[in-house]
Amino acid sequence: MRAPGPSLRPFVRTMWAADPGAVGQDAGRVSVREHVLPTGDMHLVFRLSGPPLRLFADGADSVGYTVGFAIVGGARSAFYARDVSVAARSVGVQLRPGAARALFGVPADELAERHTPLDALWGAQASEALERLHAASSPGARLTLLEVLLNERLRPLPRAMHPAVAQALLGLGRGAAVSDLVDASGYSHRRFIALFRDAAGLPPKRLERVLRFQRVMAEEPGSGALPWAELALQAGYSDQPHFNRDFLQITGMTPQAYRRASPSSPNHVRA
């Protein structure tokens, strides 16, 4: 994992590459699912080995559905479940608010709460990018090439994020109330929400909920070092029932089940 170069930093938070031989995933296991928890960001992923990405609609879905080998994951307010039975070589980026228009030419809310095949956004250039990444010889070479590909996709003059949205995102990260952010923007509530969703994908109330949850995740709650009640209070939850409801809806499991799963990465939990 590494940071992108200067030209991509307004749009890309981190870049990463995974190789089955290096990361030790559970290749060959049958029906292994993982809950991927929301962070508030979008993702772009290229799968370079194994089957296409397979997702599940809910806990009762035993078949799932495939999305493809080059996928954009929109901002989400709750977990999604994916098949990790076969380890896959892959490379991808975590995208900041504002990246959807700069890299894909669409508002972020058109991509939110779902996965979109990249060819629906880039056309034939999605397949060309996938072929070029297949030819790269190492994880480092894939990251370098992916950075080149994204710079090629940047519009000549990418539109800067609206200042009211940029300020609101900073405020949400610090726990500010959405009503205060609307007032500070100088816009009507309706206009502010439209501007915010265009950049971030989610409306501010929904993103606020995800960011509050991520303040808990930042404390590595799977370790059990701090009780849930203390983590919830520090993150800004009103009480334990409020935290328990949000946790179940966002992760698809109770806090106790999450700790029993003992995830090695806070936002990736075997189910």
Side-chain angles (χ1 to χ4, degrees):
M1 182 180 293
R2 68 171 175 82
S7 61
L8 287 176
R9 283 177 194 162
F11 312 106
V12 176
R13 195 177 304 279
T14 57
M15 310 182 66
W16 54 267
D19 189 290
V23 298
Q25 296 180 9
D26 298 317
R29 287 180 57 182
V30 177
S31 300
V32 182
R33 296 191 189 194
E34 180 179 81
H35 285 198
V36 181
L37 311 186
T39 63
D41 286 336
M42 296 175 54
H43 296 80
L44 168 63
V45 179
F46 293 87
R47 291 172 67 93
L48 305 175
S49 69
L53 177 66
R54 183 159 68 112
L55 305 176
F56 301 94
D58 52 42
D61 181 4
S62 61
V63 177
Y65 59 97
T66 58
V67 183
F69 292 96
I71 315 105
V72 176
R76 286 181 174 264
S77 56
F79 79 96
Y80 66 88
R82 66 175 182 173
D83 187 339
V84 293
S85 303
V86 178
R89 184 179 303 113
S90 58
V91 62
V93 291
Q94 186 176 5
L95 299 171
R96 299 179 185 274
R101 283 200 180 273
L103 294 172
F104 309 121
V106 298
D109 55 343
E110 287 190 11
L111 306 174
E113 307 285 12
R114 62 191 178 95
H115 286 75
T116 301
L118 185 60
D119 57 12
L121 302 167
W122 283 7
Q125 291 184 350
S127 296
E128 294 168 8
L130 191 61
E131 289 176 9
R132 290 170 68 180
L133 287 164
H134 268 291
S137 59
S138 68
R142 291 172 206 128
L143 285 173
T144 298
L145 177 55
L146 180 55
E147 190 158 9
V148 170
L149 292 169
L150 293 178
N151 273 302
E152 290 174 354
R153 290 298 307 185
L154 276 181
R155 294 171 177 269
L157 292 172
R159 188 173 71 178
M161 188 184 300
H162 195 289
V165 176
Q167 284 299 114
L169 287 167
L170 286 174
L172 280 184
R174 297 168 183 154
V178 172
S179 58
D180 292 340
L181 300 176
V182 175
D183 291 342
S185 74
Y187 288 96
S188 69
H189 186 271
R190 182 175 180 179
R191 177 60 176 155
F192 175 79
I193 297 301
L195 289 170
F196 193 95
R197 292 187 65 172
D198 184 289
L202 302 176
K205 280 283 189 184
R206 208 177 300 170
L207 182 57
E208 175 189 41
R209 185 170 178 249
V210 172
L211 295 179
R212 183 173 55 218
F213 167 78
Q214 280 298 328
R215 288 196 288 273
V216 174
M217 293 295 104
E219 299 299 325
E220 298 184 357
S223 68
L226 291 174
W228 286 118
E230 184 172 341
L231 291 173
L233 183 64
Q234 290 177 358
Y237 286 92
S238 58
D239 53 32
Q240 189 75 26
H242 177 203
F243 170 71
N244 289 342
R245 285 194 306 272
D246 263 20
F247 198 96
L248 179 60
Q249 291 170 4
I250 290 173
T251 68
M253 61 185 67
T254 64
Q256 293 73 23
Y258 177 93
R259 278 198 170 152
R260 286 197 298 272
S262 188
S264 57
S265 172
N267 292 309
H268 296 262
V269 190
R270 293 293 168 90

